[in-house]
Amino acid sequence: QVSVLYFARSAELAGLLCETLSVPRQITSLQLWEEIVKVHPSYPAMVFAVWQEYLLLGDQLLVLQPGDEIAIIPLISGG
C-alpha cells in the first residue's frame, strides 16, 4: 500500500487530499498512473512524483515499499 497525496486541482477532482492505494510492489511508472486513473477516471493530464522526484510515464520500473508517498500535481501553465 502506498499513500497518494493530491494537490490543487487534483485534490478537487479526487474530492480528498490523500488516500491509500494497493498497488503491486514492482510496477512501471505508466502502470502506476493507470492504477490511479482507475480510481479517479476523470483526471486530465497530471504530473506525478514518487519519493519527491517527478517521473515520466513510461517503462521506468519502480520498486515501492509500503507507505511510500506518491504526489499528484496538476500541470501548471503560465503566460
Side-chain angles (χ1 to χ4, degrees):
Q1 291 189 341
V2 294
S3 297
V4 183
L5 310 175
Y6 299 96
F7 295 91
R9 180 78 175 133
S10 69
E12 292 173 21
L13 291 170
L16 43 87
L17 296 175
C18 65
E19 68 183 332
T20 301
L21 293 180
S22 293
V23 296
R25 186 167 185 262
Q26 292 190 17
I27 189 169
T28 68
S29 56
L30 179 58
Q31 290 169 329
L32 177 58
W33 178 249
E34 289 170 346
E35 290 293 320
I36 292 167
V37 171
K38 281 182 194 175
V39 177
H40 302 287
S42 63
Y43 270 3
M46 300 270 177
V47 174
F48 76 111
V50 177
W51 311 301
Q52 299 179 357
E53 292 185 29
Y54 290 110
L55 293 179
L56 297 174
L57 298 181
D59 294 333
Q60 177 182 358
L61 184 62
L62 307 172
V63 180
L64 301 172
Q65 301 298 321
D68 277 351
E69 289 185 345
I70 299 160
I72 308 299
I73 305 155
L75 295 175
I76 299 170
S77 64

